[in-house]
Amino acid sequence: AKELGRGRFSFFDFSINEKNQRLIKVKQALRSAIESSEYRLVYQPKVNPHQCVLTGYEALLRWNSQELGMVSPDEFIPIAEESGEIEKITDWVIRRVAMDKQYSAHLRHANIAINISAKQFKSDSWVNTLRIMHDSSELDVASITVEITETALIDSFEVTLEQLLTVRGLGATIAIDDFGTGYSSLSYLKKMPIDYVKIDRSFVQDIGIDPDDQAIVQTVIAMSHALDIKVVAEGAESAEQIDFLKSKQCDEIQGYYYSKPIELADLDSFILQL
Ligand code: C2E
Ligand code: CA
Ligand code: CA
Ligand code: CA
């Protein structure tokens, strides 16, 4: 690609053209993904490292597109947010979690975290889905954790507050995802009904490498505890990271060190080594 200066590209820039074509393809393929049964959920364990017990799972979306093969959620979720398709996807995720809980003895009584996109907080559809499933006893919402990013707190404070109070009223647990990567101030944590802060992997992965990141992790844990909020660290891969997090009283840990996300069919025979 020939760059002509900041933000300016030559007319014949194939890389941008290719990116656009991929984007259009993904956007199109997303439209038929639900009816073609191309999605599934995988489940990654969360662990209390002090008591060495499993505390629940995070449900993570996988898309095996007939047309494009496996597409990473890091690629298609932002596109689905842009196109509005994300509402249907989240609806599908909530319903599938309820079905998977029926299927798997392991999941049935476990707490399951689901991801709600920040872009969805302008609509009540995800709240309504949870309410309907709660009222019809299809899903025990008290066993659901809702993971939202800091952006949702900032972009639409009032609406988000009301939605979080509603789902919390149904028994759901609330977690702030990717904590530390956004721009939320401490005051949001105090004003919002938040049970958990989830420290982003980018900080956790540099434990033992970057003293600044260690200081951030330690501070987030101390600050959250002072506000009576629990802490989950995500993306822990090494024993050294686990030891550090434990010594700083991190409440729960999720990461490859314990387990990668697990296919539904493998869950009931899966034994977590703790
Ligand atoms: P996230 O919510 O921060 O999820 C954690 C991501 O980190 C997952 O990637 C997980 O597989 C990965 N991970 C966990 N432990 C480790 C580790 O020790 N090392 C490494 N390298 N990675 C680890 P995944 O499944 O690819 O999802 C990426 C992102 O896509 C998620 O980040 C989330 O933002 C989004 N996403 C996934 N499923 C959904 C969904 O159902 N709905 C929405 N709205 N977003 C989703
Ligand atoms: Ca998450
Ligand atoms: Ca994250
Ligand atoms: Ca993320």
Side-chain angles (χ1 to χ4, degrees), residues 74 115 149 177-178 200 234:
D74 282 327
N115 291 283
T149 56
D177 208 353
D178 298 348
D200 193 63
E234 71 176 14

Side-chain angles (χ1 to χ4, degrees), residues 1 12 22 42 77 103 131 186 191 210 240 257 264 271:
F12 300 103
R22 169 81 181 173
V42 291
I77 293 287
Y103 174 87
R131 196 202 329 254
L186 301 182
K191 287 183 204 147
D210 184 344
E240 188 185 10
Y257 178 82
L264 179 70
I271 296 163

Side-chain angles (χ1 to χ4, degrees), residues 44 58 61-62 73-74 115 177-178 201 234-235 237 255-256:
Q44 189 178 30
E58 178 176 9
L61 193 56
R62 293 293 175 265
D74 282 327
N115 291 283
D177 208 353
D178 298 348
R201 175 156 57 94
E234 71 176 14
E237 296 182 2
Y256 291 175

Side-chain angles (χ1 to χ4, degrees), residues 96-195:
R96 178 50 69 93
V97 164
M99 284 164 60
D100 288 355
K101 272 175 164 287
Q102 297 291 321
Y103 174 87
S104 157
H106 232 84
L107 291 184
R108 196 154 309 143
H109 303 289
N111 187 283
I112 310 292
I114 55 174
N115 291 283
I116 307 289
S117 155
K119 294 270 163 68
Q120 286 185 258
F121 280 80
K122 50 186 185 325
S123 147
D124 279 335
S125 79
W126 68 278
V127 178
N128 289 331
T129 303
L130 283 174
R131 196 202 329 254
I132 289 164
M133 299 202 59
H134 170 266
D135 291 348
S136 63
S137 302
E138 281 172 279
L139 179 65
D140 175 19
V141 177
S143 71
I144 296 297
T145 295
V146 168
E147 294 194 359
I148 66 171
T149 56
E150 295 166 81
T151 323
L153 304 185
I154 300 156
D155 285 358
S156 47
F157 182 84
E158 296 297 333
V159 182
T160 303
L161 178 61
E162 210 179 292
Q163 292 176 331
L164 292 183
L165 288 172
T166 302
V167 295
R168 218 194 198 196
L170 301 174
T173 302
I174 313 290
I176 304 300
D177 208 353
D178 298 348
F179 192 78
T181 59
Y183 297 97
S184 71
S185 71
L186 301 182
S187 65
Y188 283 104
L189 290 183
K190 239 180 70 184
K191 287 183 204 147
M192 285 284 180
I194 290 160
D195 304 292

Side-chain angles (χ1 to χ4, degrees), residues 13-23:
D13 189 315
F14 290 108
S15 86
I16 284 190
N17 195 12
E18 274 163 18
K19 270 189 199 157
N20 279 335
Q21 300 216 333
R22 169 81 181 173
L23 202 134

Side-chain angles (χ1 to χ4, degrees), residues 12-70:
F12 300 103
D13 189 315
F14 290 108
S15 86
I16 284 190
N17 195 12
E18 274 163 18
K19 270 189 199 157
N20 279 335
Q21 300 216 333
R22 169 81 181 173
L23 202 134
I24 289 162
K25 274 190 192 154
V26 170
K27 201 191 267 184
Q28 232 154 35
L30 274 172
R31 282 198 221 124
S32 57
I34 290 180
E35 59 188 80
S36 307
S37 311
E38 293 172 350
Y39 293 129
R40 69 179 189 280
L41 292 175
V42 291
Y43 293 90
Q44 189 178 30
K46 273 187 283 186
V47 168
N48 174 329
H50 309 286
Q51 294 169 348
C52 286
V53 289
L54 183 131
T55 55
Y57 297 89
E58 178 176 9
L60 294 158
L61 193 56
R62 293 293 175 265
W63 179 28
N64 190 2
S65 162
Q66 266 165 34
E67 216 151 305
L68 306 167
M70 288 301 296

